[in-house]
């Protein structure tokens, strides 16, 4: 029975000897891979980057920062929807009379808190009452501000049942 080596299967002369162990493949390739990677890095640093096919060239003007528009974000919270709608209308009238643009009002999710209370202090645990409190919220953005717009918004008289948060 003849022993077929890996070289015989490829029809090449066998150079491997049985007594010498074969060198690990990763060790033999490691210096080559390092040098190839180093060559690629040097070549990439030396040559300017060529644009890819279908890529859009970016001009230097696009790198300049765009001027930011000033805006005021007003968040209104209330337990009463009617007071909240009246406050939104007052803010809308004050801002539009000075030439500012308004985005909103955006209705945010209503938060409900439910409280469960026993009806009897001592017995009848199965008899309970539930109470709920709903917190309604609206978000308004006022853009294209002027000093008149800020003055009008600061001088508004909003109802006491409306919580107002202002962010610049």
């Amino acid at each position: 029975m003849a022993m077929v080596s890996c070289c015989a299967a490829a029809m090449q002369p066998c150079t491997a000897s049985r007594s010498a162990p074969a060198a690990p493949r990763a060790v033999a390739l490691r210096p080559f891979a390092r040098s190839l990677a180093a060559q690629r890095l040097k070549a990439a640093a030396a040559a300017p980057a060529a644009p890819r096919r279908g890529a859009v060239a970016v001009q230097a003007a696009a790198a300049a920062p765009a001027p930011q528009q000033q805006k005021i974000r007003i968040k209104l919270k209330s337990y009463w929807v009617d007071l909240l709608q009246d406050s939104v209308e007052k803010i809308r009238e004050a801002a539009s009379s000075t030439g500012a643009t308004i985005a909103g009002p955006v209705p945010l999710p209503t938060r409900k808190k439910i409280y469960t209370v026993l009806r009897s202090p001592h017995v009848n645990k199965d008899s309970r009452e539930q109470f709920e409190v709903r917190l309604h919220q609206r978000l308004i953005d006022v853009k294209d501000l002027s000093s008149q717009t800020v003055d009008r918004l600061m001088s508004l008289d909003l109802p006491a049942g409306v919580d107002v948060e202002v962010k610049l």
Side-chain angles (χ1 to χ4, degrees):
M1 184 180 222
M3 181 184 266
V4 178
S5 67
C6 61
C7 298
M11 301 301 282
Q12 296 176 354
C14 185
T15 58
S17 66
R18 291 185 185 173
S19 61
R25 199 171 172 103
V27 174
L29 294 179
R30 194 173 295 146
F32 177 72
R34 284 186 189 158
S35 64
L36 184 61
Q39 289 175 2
R40 287 181 184 165
L41 287 175
K42 287 178 185 176
R52 291 180 281 162
R53 189 182 338 166
V56 178
V58 178
Q59 300 295 329
Q68 290 184 342
Q69 291 184 355
Q70 291 183 347
K71 73 174 182 179
I72 295 178
R73 178 163 282 182
I74 303 171
K75 188 174 183 181
L76 303 170
K77 298 179 184 179
S78 178
Y79 294 114
W80 298 280
V81 180
D82 298 335
L83 289 179
L84 192 63
Q85 293 300 333
D86 292 342
S87 300
V88 166
E89 289 301 321
K90 287 182 182 180
I91 291 172
R92 183 183 290 166
E93 289 173 9
S96 62
S97 67
T98 59
T101 58
I102 298 173
V106 178
L108 297 176
T110 302
R111 295 187 179 169
K112 294 194 312 185
K113 292 182 181 178
I114 299 174
Y115 300 99
T116 304
V117 180
L118 293 175
R119 290 185 187 188
S120 171
H122 299 293
V123 292
N124 299 330
K125 185 172 177 163
D126 293 339
S127 176
R128 300 179 185 201
E129 267 185 303
Q130 288 187 333
F131 301 97
E132 78 176 21
V133 177
R134 294 184 181 201
L135 181 63
H136 303 277
Q137 302 175 24
R138 301 288 185 270
L139 186 67
I140 301 172
D141 282 344
V142 182
K143 301 175 184 176
D144 301 329
L145 297 173
S146 65
S147 60
Q148 293 175 346
T149 307
V150 175
D151 291 340
R152 291 283 303 265
L153 289 174
M154 296 303 281
S155 65
L156 278 179
D157 186 28
L158 296 178
V162 178
D163 181 37
V164 179
E165 293 178 15
V166 178
K167 290 183 183 179
L168 294 176

